[in-house]
Amino acid sequence: MTHTAYAQDKDDAKLIMTTDSDSTSLRTDSLENTEHYALDVSQTSGLFIRTSDGKLQMRILGSMRFPVLQDFVNVPLKTSFDSYYVPIGSERRYIPNYFDSLGQSRFGFEVTRTLKSGKNVFVRLEMDFNGGNDQKFRIRHAYGQTKRLLVGQTWSLFSNVTAQPASVNWNGPTGSVFLRTPQVRYYDSNANGTKWAVALEYSRPDLNQSAIDTLNLETVQLIPDLTARIVKQGRLGAVQLSAVITTVSLSSDVNEVTNQFGFGGSLSGTVDFPSSKIMYQITYGQSISHYINNFAGTGNDAVFNPETGGLDPINAFGGVLAYDFTLLQKLNSNFSLGYSNLTNYDYQPDDAFAESMSAAFDSFWSFTEGSKLGIEYMYNQRWNKGGETGNASRISALFYYDF
């Protein structure tokens, strides 16, 4: 007979729906091989449904998120505050403006199934409403995993969201690597706390459309990106080294295909203290700008060379340093600095992007179980190749409730 009961797990009460009164233990992400960002839906939230034999469990999760923001200059993007889009010169207009959205709200399902062999299979599907200005559905995570294999979409191996500070801004500090990709991943670990993984991932090459049209070419992806990472957990925190090899493939109107290879590396991690930690990430590479948050979608993996009629690769750099601390039991805060730059060629115009930085303060108050209120002040500055500069600042807040 079906019944409901409350059970204690990780110091939080859970509502369980089962068919047997002795089914009171719960499993949350039992394989524990994926990464959790600071603002992900808590692993202790959700409605758990479990079969009487305990071999199949489903978690239904959700989060209502309502961000509001106030700009002091007219920044073209509202759903994120990227330093790349800071207006400069005649584009800079002092027009205070307000924006809010429910696009960050999300819901999803997690299923853990125990096979006859005794091994677990874990499946996760999570969506939000941030798929465009009209708040369409967007897949955030959709993957299945076993003890050593993951197939589907989740955080890229080139990312390290555990080393990113909690941020009201969608994309975090300038220079962050926040990217989810479809992938096939193999991973393992050893007894001394070292984890490693390799994957084939799909990330769309990011080229300036006008350059593609000038060359009468089409961007295609012949082979997936190859990514790898190794994570070492120590007494003072974790260190991660990641690498990527990517391919930009172009097809002509006579079906001739040319390939341009890119590569990159990233060092990231945390230094942990009793009530605080330092977070850091340094990323550099060629034709990998689409992996760095403030360059994604800007067409800066390569640039059209008018002298040769071809594409030249662009080198990209991103760096983040943050200090996260807890002064009060229910109040967590952080300071963050971010920096990014792109290499420039002599033939590029003076208004081409050169470098940018961000500085931010975020604070999150857990005022009741499952609910948080976050506030943020963020300052961005951009420099162009010709030396012209501009800045912008934003005050924003985020209310969310995980259920």
Side-chain angles (χ1 to χ4, degrees):
M1 181 176 66
T2 301
H3 74 281
T4 62
Y6 285 94
Q8 202 69 12
D9 179 71
K10 294 185 180 180
D11 298 325
D12 283 301
K14 298 297 185 183
L15 176 62
I16 315 170
M17 300 178 65
T18 74
T19 57
D20 195 314
S21 60
D22 62 0
S23 300
T24 56
S25 61
L26 295 173
R27 296 172 291 178
T28 56
D29 200 358
S30 59
L31 296 174
E32 296 180 353
N33 284 308
T34 53
E35 306 77 39
H36 297 285
Y37 175 52
L39 296 186
D40 280 348
V41 177
S42 170
Q43 283 291 296
T44 59
S45 297
L47 171 67
F48 288 74
I49 304 174
R50 187 178 177 186
T51 58
S52 59
D53 59 7
K55 293 184 177 181
L56 181 65
Q57 175 183 287
M58 181 172 70
R59 175 190 177 212
I60 304 174
L61 57 95
S63 182
M64 190 284 291
R65 307 202 171 192
F66 181 58
V68 299
L69 62 91
Q70 181 69 42
D71 285 330
F72 299 96
V73 298
N74 190 35
V75 180
L77 286 184
K78 301 302 181 184
T79 55
S80 63
F81 191 38
D82 292 338
S83 54
Y84 186 91
Y85 294 99
V86 170
I88 296 178
S90 60
E91 297 179 355
R92 182 177 175 84
R93 295 181 294 162
Y94 290 92
I95 304 177
N97 52 98
Y98 167 89
F99 178 79
D100 63 41
S101 171
L102 289 168
Q104 290 190 51
S105 298
R106 60 198 63 171
F107 70 93
F109 307 90
E110 294 178 351
V111 176
T112 301
R113 181 169 187 172
T114 303
L115 305 178
K116 292 181 179 180
S117 62
K119 297 179 180 180
N120 285 340
V121 175
F122 178 78
V123 178
R124 181 184 184 189
L125 175 63
E126 182 182 324
M127 298 166 287
D128 64 16
F129 300 86
N130 206 26
N133 293 331
D134 51 356
Q135 297 186 350
K136 294 180 180 178
F137 275 130
R138 180 185 68 165
I139 295 177
R140 289 174 51 82
H141 300 277
Y143 63 88
Q145 66 180 114
T146 60
K147 186 178 181 180
R148 291 187 176 89
L149 183 67
L150 181 149
V151 179
Q153 177 170 300
T154 189
W155 297 113
S156 167
L157 288 182
F158 202 59
S159 302
N160 185 4
V161 296
T162 61
Q164 295 294 334
S167 174
V168 173
N169 177 36
W170 273 259
N171 284 349
T174 290
S176 303
V177 178
F178 267 114
L179 186 66
R180 292 179 294 269
T181 62
Q183 59 189 266
V184 178
R185 178 193 302 187
Y186 182 84
Y187 53 89
D188 205 348
S189 61
N190 57 32
N192 65 5
T194 301
K195 299 180 180 180
W196 61 271
V198 294
L200 296 176
E201 302 186 14
Y202 173 70
S203 66
R204 187 182 302 275
D206 197 3
L207 300 176
N208 185 282
Q209 190 59 46
S210 62
I212 300 301
D213 294 342
T214 299
L215 297 173
N216 197 24
L217 298 173
E218 179 185 0
T219 303
V220 295
Q221 189 76 354
L222 293 185
I223 58 175
D225 296 347
L226 174 63
T227 59
R229 78 171 174 211
I230 185 170
V231 182
K232 174 65 176 178
Q233 181 69 48
R235 292 186 301 109
L236 295 180
V239 178
Q240 174 176 305
L241 182 62
S242 303
V244 60
I245 299 176
T246 186
T247 306
V248 179
S249 301
L250 299 171
S251 176
S252 69
D253 53 359
V254 292
N255 294 324
E256 292 181 350
V257 177
T258 59
N259 297 306
Q260 179 172 289
F261 291 94
F263 56 87
S266 181
L267 176 67
S268 59
T270 62
V271 180
D272 299 333
F273 304 101
S275 59
S276 63
K277 60 183 172 181
I278 296 172
M279 303 166 149
Y280 61 90
Q281 184 177 57
I282 299 172
T283 305
Y284 181 77
Q286 176 179 292
S287 297
I288 63 158
S289 69
H290 61 282
Y291 276 91
I292 300 176
N293 64 348
N294 53 304
F295 297 141
T298 63
N300 280 297
D301 280 349
V303 61
F304 174 67
N305 186 332
E307 300 172 0
T308 65
L311 293 173
D312 290 333
I314 295 179
N315 294 341
F317 174 86
V320 176
L321 180 64
Y323 178 66
D324 182 277
F325 58 96
T326 301
L327 293 179
L328 301 174
Q329 183 178 2
K330 295 185 177 183
L331 186 65
N332 178 259
S333 306
N334 69 77
F335 294 99
S336 66
L337 296 172
Y339 175 79
S340 66
N341 70 35
L342 297 174
T343 56
N344 294 130
Y345 292 94
D346 291 338
Y347 56 78
Q348 288 183 271
D350 286 343
D351 63 355
F353 177 95
E355 57 185 336
S356 67
M357 61 82 65
S358 69
F361 171 76
D362 286 82
S363 189
F364 290 85
W365 174 38
S366 301
F367 59 90
T368 188
E369 182 181 354
S371 298
K372 286 188 179 182
L373 175 65
I375 59 170
E376 177 185 80
Y377 172 78
M378 191 171 196
Y379 172 88
N380 281 334
Q381 186 158 0
R382 166 179 167 154
W383 290 266
N384 286 343
K385 175 193 170 189
E388 197 174 17
T389 187
N391 60 73
S393 58
R394 172 179 288 180
I395 295 175
S396 51
L398 171 65
F399 166 79
Y400 71 88
Y401 176 70
D402 293 343
F403 55 89

